[in-house]
Amino acid sequence: MLASLIAYLRAAMPQLQEGAPTLGREEQLVRAYLDLMHLRMPDRLQFEIDVAPELAGLRFPTMALLTLVENAVRHGIDPSEDGGRILLAGRIAEDGETVTLSVADTGVGIDAAAPAGVGLANLRSRLHAFFGADARLELHAIAPHG
């Protein structure tokens, strides 16, 4: 557990100090966080990270993906008796310019009546400030849950 915590801190500290964060660094941070969460609940959390390697150098806002992954753990996996799986994926479209990143979980699911939290509202604003008006943050329920 100590080794995972050290890895998380090593991944997080440069993110907080660097002027031009990248998706590759964000992926390292998310991996270290998920390793820690897996240690906390080894029988209840599985995860997979499948981000295209060519996206590693893409400029990306610090801790943006981490916010989504933390939400998946906190609101999806933690409340579920059975736990669940988190999948982080990243692909570039055929046009060579559009990048799609997704965080999916098989936890308890989204309460459609619940308003988006402050963290997601802030993240949406950060993405627009970083990438412009074309940036989107979408939430979707996954059947049967997640």
Side-chain angles (χ1 to χ4, degrees):
M1 183 175 224
L2 186 58
S4 292
L5 180 58
I6 290 168
Y8 175 74
L9 292 173
R10 283 188 179 148
M13 293 310 292
Q15 292 282 33
L16 299 174
Q17 297 170 359
E18 295 282 329
T22 65
L23 183 56
R25 289 189 188 132
E26 184 76 0
E27 182 182 342
Q28 289 175 337
L29 181 62
V30 166
R31 184 177 303 279
Y33 172 78
L34 285 170
D35 282 338
L36 277 174
M37 292 300 101
H38 180 72
L39 287 171
R40 189 181 123 225
M41 47 185 156
D43 297 336
R44 296 182 56 241
L45 173 64
Q46 292 81 43
F47 68 89
E48 179 181 349
I49 298 176
D50 182 22
V51 177
E54 61 268 22
L55 297 178
L58 180 71
R59 282 183 8 109
F60 197 79
T62 302
M63 301 181 110
L65 275 179
L66 183 62
T67 298
L68 295 174
V69 171
E70 286 176 332
N71 272 332
V73 170
R74 183 172 182 215
H75 301 292
I77 306 302
D78 267 346
S80 170
E81 282 185 29
D82 297 327
R85 180 175 182 78
I86 293 177
L87 171 62
L88 166 61
R91 296 284 174 265
I92 189 159
E94 290 183 19
D95 67 11
E97 294 188 23
T98 304
V99 173
T100 301
L101 300 169
S102 65
V103 176
D105 72 77
T106 61
V108 297
I110 297 173
D111 179 359
V118 173
L120 293 179
N122 287 342
L123 178 56
R124 187 172 276 118
S125 295
R126 289 181 60 218
L127 290 173
H128 283 219
F130 202 88
F131 293 115
D134 289 338
R136 291 192 328 247
L137 173 62
E138 300 174 357
L139 298 175
H140 303 280
I142 299 173
H145 51 81

